[in-house]
mmCIF file of all heavy atoms in Angstrom:
data_model
loop_
_atom_site.group_PDB
_atom_site.id
_atom_site.type_symbol
_atom_site.label_atom_id
_atom_site.label_comp_id
_atom_site.label_asym_id
_atom_site.label_seq_id
_atom_site.Cartn_x
_atom_site.Cartn_y
_atom_site.Cartn_z
ATOM 1 N N GLU J 823 12.352 7.557 -8.481
ATOM 2 C CA GLU J 823 13.330 8.077 -7.700
ATOM 3 C C GLU J 823 14.754 7.385 -7.772
ATOM 4 O O GLU J 823 15.758 8.029 -7.930
ATOM 5 C CB GLU J 823 12.920 8.005 -6.138
ATOM 6 C CG GLU J 823 11.737 8.960 -5.820
ATOM 7 C CD GLU J 823 10.429 8.293 -6.030
ATOM 8 O OE1 GLU J 823 10.349 7.284 -6.754
ATOM 9 O OE2 GLU J 823 9.394 8.733 -5.378
ATOM 10 N N ILE J 824 14.637 6.017 -7.759
ATOM 11 C CA ILE J 824 15.770 5.274 -7.925
ATOM 12 C C ILE J 824 16.461 5.372 -9.286
ATOM 13 O O ILE J 824 17.664 5.504 -9.409
ATOM 14 C CB ILE J 824 15.496 3.716 -7.590
ATOM 15 C CG1 ILE J 824 14.969 3.548 -6.179
ATOM 16 C CG2 ILE J 824 16.719 2.841 -7.811
ATOM 17 C CD1 ILE J 824 16.020 3.855 -5.058
ATOM 18 N N ALA J 825 15.599 5.344 -10.282
ATOM 19 C CA ALA J 825 16.086 5.558 -11.702
ATOM 20 C C ALA J 825 16.743 6.811 -11.810
ATOM 21 O O ALA J 825 17.808 6.867 -12.518
ATOM 22 C CB ALA J 825 14.940 5.366 -12.652
ATOM 23 N N ASN J 826 16.266 7.934 -11.285
ATOM 24 C CA ASN J 826 16.845 9.197 -11.368
ATOM 25 C C ASN J 826 18.260 9.248 -10.743
ATOM 26 O O ASN J 826 19.163 9.829 -11.246
ATOM 27 C CB ASN J 826 15.888 10.247 -10.788
ATOM 28 C CG ASN J 826 16.564 11.618 -10.868
ATOM 29 O OD1 ASN J 826 16.689 12.230 -11.959
ATOM 30 N ND2 ASN J 826 16.917 12.207 -9.675
ATOM 31 N N THR J 827 18.291 8.622 -9.520
ATOM 32 C CA THR J 827 19.551 8.566 -8.795
ATOM 33 C C THR J 827 20.698 7.813 -9.630
ATOM 34 O O THR J 827 21.809 8.256 -9.707
ATOM 35 C CB THR J 827 19.384 7.855 -7.404
ATOM 36 O OG1 THR J 827 18.400 8.619 -6.664
ATOM 37 C CG2 THR J 827 20.708 7.783 -6.675
ATOM 38 N N LEU J 828 20.301 6.710 -10.081
ATOM 39 C CA LEU J 828 21.284 5.890 -10.842
ATOM 40 C C LEU J 828 21.679 6.565 -12.144
ATOM 41 O O LEU J 828 22.900 6.711 -12.558
ATOM 42 C CB LEU J 828 20.606 4.496 -11.221
ATOM 43 C CG LEU J 828 20.346 3.557 -10.086
ATOM 44 C CD1 LEU J 828 19.646 2.302 -10.528
ATOM 45 C CD2 LEU J 828 21.587 3.244 -9.288
ATOM 46 N N ALA J 829 20.704 7.084 -12.950
ATOM 47 C CA ALA J 829 20.997 7.660 -14.223
ATOM 48 C C ALA J 829 21.950 8.921 -14.146
ATOM 49 O O ALA J 829 22.754 9.096 -15.035
ATOM 50 C CB ALA J 829 19.731 8.029 -14.910
ATOM 51 N N ARG J 830 21.773 9.652 -13.066
ATOM 52 C CA ARG J 830 22.493 10.846 -12.936
ATOM 53 C C ARG J 830 23.854 10.784 -12.317
ATOM 54 O O ARG J 830 24.602 11.669 -12.166
ATOM 55 C CB ARG J 830 21.801 11.980 -12.281
ATOM 56 C CG ARG J 830 20.441 12.404 -13.025
ATOM 57 C CD ARG J 830 19.808 13.517 -12.310
ATOM 58 N NE ARG J 830 20.634 14.709 -12.011
ATOM 59 C CZ ARG J 830 20.881 15.552 -12.912
ATOM 60 N NH1 ARG J 830 20.432 15.515 -14.113
ATOM 61 N NH2 ARG J 830 21.764 16.576 -12.619
ATOM 62 N N ASP J 831 24.211 9.602 -11.780
ATOM 63 C CA ASP J 831 25.511 9.424 -11.081
ATOM 64 C C ASP J 831 26.276 8.393 -11.934
ATOM 65 O O ASP J 831 25.927 7.237 -12.028
ATOM 66 C CB ASP J 831 25.233 8.866 -9.682
ATOM 67 C CG ASP J 831 26.481 8.807 -8.886
ATOM 68 O OD1 ASP J 831 27.531 8.202 -9.295
ATOM 69 O OD2 ASP J 831 26.585 9.409 -7.830
ATOM 70 N N GLU J 832 27.455 8.803 -12.443
ATOM 71 C CA GLU J 832 28.169 7.997 -13.373
ATOM 72 C C GLU J 832 28.748 6.717 -12.735
ATOM 73 O O GLU J 832 28.713 5.657 -13.294
ATOM 74 C CB GLU J 832 29.301 8.799 -14.079
ATOM 75 C CG GLU J 832 30.151 8.031 -15.156
ATOM 76 C CD GLU J 832 31.120 8.950 -15.739
ATOM 77 O OE1 GLU J 832 31.164 10.133 -15.429
ATOM 78 O OE2 GLU J 832 31.965 8.430 -16.573
ATOM 79 N N LYS J 833 29.186 6.945 -11.486
ATOM 80 C CA LYS J 833 29.785 5.678 -10.783
ATOM 81 C C LYS J 833 28.681 4.755 -10.434
ATOM 82 O O LYS J 833 28.952 3.481 -10.656
ATOM 83 C CB LYS J 833 30.469 6.177 -9.454
ATOM 84 C CG LYS J 833 31.856 6.944 -9.796
ATOM 85 C CD LYS J 833 32.591 7.080 -8.504
ATOM 86 C CE LYS J 833 32.018 8.030 -7.464
ATOM 87 N NZ LYS J 833 32.871 8.279 -6.283
ATOM 88 N N LEU J 834 27.554 5.196 -10.022
ATOM 89 C CA LEU J 834 26.464 4.304 -9.640
ATOM 90 C C LEU J 834 25.897 3.531 -10.954
ATOM 91 O O LEU J 834 25.714 2.342 -10.903
ATOM 92 C CB LEU J 834 25.331 5.080 -9.022
ATOM 93 C CG LEU J 834 25.495 5.437 -7.570
ATOM 94 C CD1 LEU J 834 24.267 6.194 -7.024
ATOM 95 C CD2 LEU J 834 25.880 4.318 -6.654
ATOM 96 N N SER J 835 25.741 4.265 -11.981
ATOM 97 C CA SER J 835 25.226 3.694 -13.236
ATOM 98 C C SER J 835 26.209 2.672 -13.768
ATOM 99 O O SER J 835 25.871 1.581 -14.237
ATOM 100 C CB SER J 835 24.858 4.729 -14.265
ATOM 101 O OG SER J 835 25.958 5.468 -14.606
ATOM 102 N N HIS J 836 27.501 2.980 -13.612
ATOM 103 C CA HIS J 836 28.485 2.040 -14.130
ATOM 104 C C HIS J 836 28.474 0.716 -13.234
ATOM 105 O O HIS J 836 28.437 -0.429 -13.841
ATOM 106 C CB HIS J 836 29.955 2.650 -13.975
ATOM 107 C CG HIS J 836 31.073 1.710 -14.439
ATOM 108 N ND1 HIS J 836 31.395 1.652 -15.818
ATOM 109 C CD2 HIS J 836 31.834 0.962 -13.701
ATOM 110 C CE1 HIS J 836 32.420 0.741 -15.866
ATOM 111 N NE2 HIS J 836 32.641 0.302 -14.673
ATOM 112 N N PHE J 837 28.363 0.830 -11.997
ATOM 113 C CA PHE J 837 28.322 -0.307 -11.109
ATOM 114 C C PHE J 837 27.088 -1.124 -11.413
ATOM 115 O O PHE J 837 27.088 -2.351 -11.477
ATOM 116 C CB PHE J 837 28.354 0.167 -9.621
ATOM 117 C CG PHE J 837 28.501 -0.977 -8.629
ATOM 118 C CD1 PHE J 837 29.681 -1.299 -8.124
ATOM 119 C CD2 PHE J 837 27.368 -1.747 -8.257
ATOM 120 C CE1 PHE J 837 29.860 -2.327 -7.227
ATOM 121 C CE2 PHE J 837 27.517 -2.765 -7.395
ATOM 122 C CZ PHE J 837 28.767 -3.054 -6.863
ATOM 123 N N TYR J 838 25.874 -0.412 -11.528
ATOM 124 C CA TYR J 838 24.641 -1.045 -11.772
ATOM 125 C C TYR J 838 24.627 -1.802 -13.081
ATOM 126 O O TYR J 838 24.190 -2.981 -13.175
ATOM 127 C CB TYR J 838 23.510 -0.086 -11.803
ATOM 128 C CG TYR J 838 22.090 -0.687 -11.878
ATOM 129 C CD1 TYR J 838 21.665 -1.717 -11.101
ATOM 130 C CD2 TYR J 838 21.284 -0.244 -12.974
ATOM 131 C CE1 TYR J 838 20.388 -2.195 -11.262
ATOM 132 C CE2 TYR J 838 20.055 -0.817 -13.195
ATOM 133 C CZ TYR J 838 19.647 -1.802 -12.278
ATOM 134 O OH TYR J 838 18.340 -2.316 -12.423
ATOM 135 N N GLU J 839 25.180 -1.184 -14.139
ATOM 136 C CA GLU J 839 25.254 -1.821 -15.508
ATOM 137 C C GLU J 839 26.092 -3.054 -15.473
ATOM 138 O O GLU J 839 25.761 -4.077 -16.070
ATOM 139 C CB GLU J 839 25.810 -0.815 -16.502
ATOM 140 C CG GLU J 839 24.763 0.300 -16.851
ATOM 141 C CD GLU J 839 23.581 -0.212 -17.537
ATOM 142 O OE1 GLU J 839 23.714 -1.112 -18.487
ATOM 143 O OE2 GLU J 839 22.510 0.232 -17.165
ATOM 144 N N GLU J 840 27.258 -2.957 -14.685
ATOM 145 C CA GLU J 840 28.093 -4.187 -14.633
ATOM 146 C C GLU J 840 27.415 -5.233 -13.826
ATOM 147 O O GLU J 840 27.544 -6.477 -14.172
ATOM 148 C CB GLU J 840 29.395 -3.802 -14.033
ATOM 149 C CG GLU J 840 30.522 -4.948 -14.018
ATOM 150 C CD GLU J 840 31.774 -4.454 -13.452
ATOM 151 O OE1 GLU J 840 32.083 -3.233 -13.360
ATOM 152 O OE2 GLU J 840 32.645 -5.354 -13.100
ATOM 153 N N ALA J 841 26.639 -4.948 -12.839
ATOM 154 C CA ALA J 841 25.895 -5.967 -12.043
ATOM 155 C C ALA J 841 24.859 -6.569 -12.866
ATOM 156 O O ALA J 841 24.551 -7.754 -12.824
ATOM 157 C CB ALA J 841 25.313 -5.267 -10.745
ATOM 158 N N LEU J 842 24.169 -5.739 -13.721
ATOM 159 C CA LEU J 842 23.095 -6.316 -14.562
ATOM 160 C C LEU J 842 23.543 -7.457 -15.465
ATOM 161 O O LEU J 842 22.832 -8.380 -15.809
ATOM 162 C CB LEU J 842 22.509 -5.202 -15.442
ATOM 163 C CG LEU J 842 21.459 -4.276 -14.744
ATOM 164 C CD1 LEU J 842 21.019 -3.250 -15.772
ATOM 165 C CD2 LEU J 842 20.265 -5.070 -14.209
ATOM 166 N N VAL J 843 24.859 -7.395 -15.881
ATOM 167 C CA VAL J 843 25.337 -8.456 -16.668
ATOM 168 C C VAL J 843 25.178 -9.847 -15.971
ATOM 169 O O VAL J 843 24.818 -10.851 -16.632
ATOM 170 C CB VAL J 843 26.792 -8.224 -17.113
ATOM 171 C CG1 VAL J 843 27.395 -9.409 -17.841
ATOM 172 C CG2 VAL J 843 27.025 -6.918 -17.869
ATOM 173 N N HIS J 844 25.529 -9.816 -14.680
ATOM 174 C CA HIS J 844 25.358 -11.025 -13.945
ATOM 175 C C HIS J 844 23.879 -11.276 -13.543
ATOM 176 O O HIS J 844 23.492 -12.497 -13.498
ATOM 177 C CB HIS J 844 26.190 -10.946 -12.675
ATOM 178 C CG HIS J 844 27.650 -10.559 -12.911
ATOM 179 N ND1 HIS J 844 28.453 -11.433 -13.531
ATOM 180 C CD2 HIS J 844 28.369 -9.534 -12.616
ATOM 181 C CE1 HIS J 844 29.755 -10.877 -13.702
ATOM 182 N NE2 HIS J 844 29.636 -9.727 -13.113
ATOM 183 N N PHE J 845 23.222 -10.232 -13.282
ATOM 184 C CA PHE J 845 21.728 -10.381 -12.926
ATOM 185 C C PHE J 845 20.899 -11.088 -14.088
ATOM 186 O O PHE J 845 20.072 -11.903 -13.789
ATOM 187 C CB PHE J 845 21.164 -9.066 -12.611
ATOM 188 C CG PHE J 845 20.203 -9.062 -11.518
ATOM 189 C CD1 PHE J 845 20.498 -8.621 -10.223
ATOM 190 C CD2 PHE J 845 18.883 -9.606 -11.711
ATOM 191 C CE1 PHE J 845 19.498 -8.615 -9.290
ATOM 192 C CE2 PHE J 845 17.955 -9.713 -10.721
ATOM 193 C CZ PHE J 845 18.260 -9.145 -9.436
ATOM 194 N N ASP J 846 21.158 -10.639 -15.264
ATOM 195 C CA ASP J 846 20.403 -11.086 -16.357
ATOM 196 C C ASP J 846 20.901 -12.363 -17.073
ATOM 197 O O ASP J 846 20.315 -12.827 -17.947
ATOM 198 C CB ASP J 846 20.325 -9.965 -17.462
ATOM 199 C CG ASP J 846 19.554 -8.721 -16.946
ATOM 200 O OD1 ASP J 846 18.849 -8.913 -16.008
ATOM 201 O OD2 ASP J 846 19.818 -7.656 -17.450
ATOM 202 N N ASN J 847 22.110 -12.786 -16.654
ATOM 203 C CA ASN J 847 22.706 -14.015 -17.337
ATOM 204 C C ASN J 847 21.975 -15.226 -16.851
ATOM 205 O O ASN J 847 21.980 -15.667 -15.694
ATOM 206 C CB ASN J 847 24.087 -14.061 -16.876
ATOM 207 C CG ASN J 847 24.910 -15.194 -17.610
ATOM 208 O OD1 ASN J 847 24.209 -16.002 -18.410
ATOM 209 N ND2 ASN J 847 26.189 -15.294 -17.340
ATOM 210 N N PRO J 848 21.232 -15.912 -17.741
ATOM 211 C CA PRO J 848 20.539 -17.123 -17.420
ATOM 212 C C PRO J 848 21.367 -18.172 -16.661
ATOM 213 O O PRO J 848 20.911 -18.982 -15.953
ATOM 214 C CB PRO J 848 19.912 -17.629 -18.734
ATOM 215 C CG PRO J 848 19.993 -16.447 -19.657
ATOM 216 C CD PRO J 848 21.204 -15.636 -19.178
ATOM 217 N N ALA J 849 22.639 -18.187 -17.042
ATOM 218 C CA ALA J 849 23.587 -19.155 -16.470
ATOM 219 C C ALA J 849 23.750 -19.028 -14.983
ATOM 220 O O ALA J 849 24.169 -19.895 -14.193
ATOM 221 C CB ALA J 849 24.928 -19.182 -17.194
ATOM 222 N N THR J 850 23.449 -17.784 -14.550
ATOM 223 C CA THR J 850 23.659 -17.464 -13.095
ATOM 224 C C THR J 850 22.682 -18.232 -12.296
ATOM 225 O O THR J 850 23.039 -18.808 -11.231
ATOM 226 C CB THR J 850 23.448 -15.960 -12.832
ATOM 227 O OG1 THR J 850 24.370 -15.200 -13.703
ATOM 228 C CG2 THR J 850 23.706 -15.582 -11.368
ATOM 229 N N ASP J 851 21.440 -18.303 -12.784
ATOM 230 C CA ASP J 851 20.413 -19.066 -12.027
ATOM 231 C C ASP J 851 19.254 -19.383 -13.032
ATOM 232 O O ASP J 851 18.360 -18.522 -13.147
ATOM 233 C CB ASP J 851 19.899 -18.310 -10.788
ATOM 234 C CG ASP J 851 18.999 -19.157 -9.822
ATOM 235 O OD1 ASP J 851 18.527 -20.219 -10.322
ATOM 236 O OD2 ASP J 851 18.763 -18.845 -8.760
ATOM 237 N N SER J 852 19.306 -20.508 -13.595
ATOM 238 C CA SER J 852 18.402 -20.765 -14.737
ATOM 239 C C SER J 852 16.994 -21.028 -14.232
ATOM 240 O O SER J 852 16.034 -21.036 -15.008
ATOM 241 C CB SER J 852 18.865 -21.974 -15.546
ATOM 242 O OG SER J 852 19.005 -23.043 -14.637
#
Side-chain angles (χ1 to χ4, degrees):
E823 292 91 337
I824 297 294
N826 180 67
T827 299
L828 295 176
R830 293 186 55 82
D831 190 303
E832 187 176 353
K833 288 193 292 186
L834 286 182
S835 60
H836 179 85
F837 189 99
Y838 182 58
E839 288 295 314
E840 188 173 343
L842 279 178
V843 173
H844 305 294
F845 213 107
D846 295 337
N847 184 357
T850 305
D851 190 341
S852 60

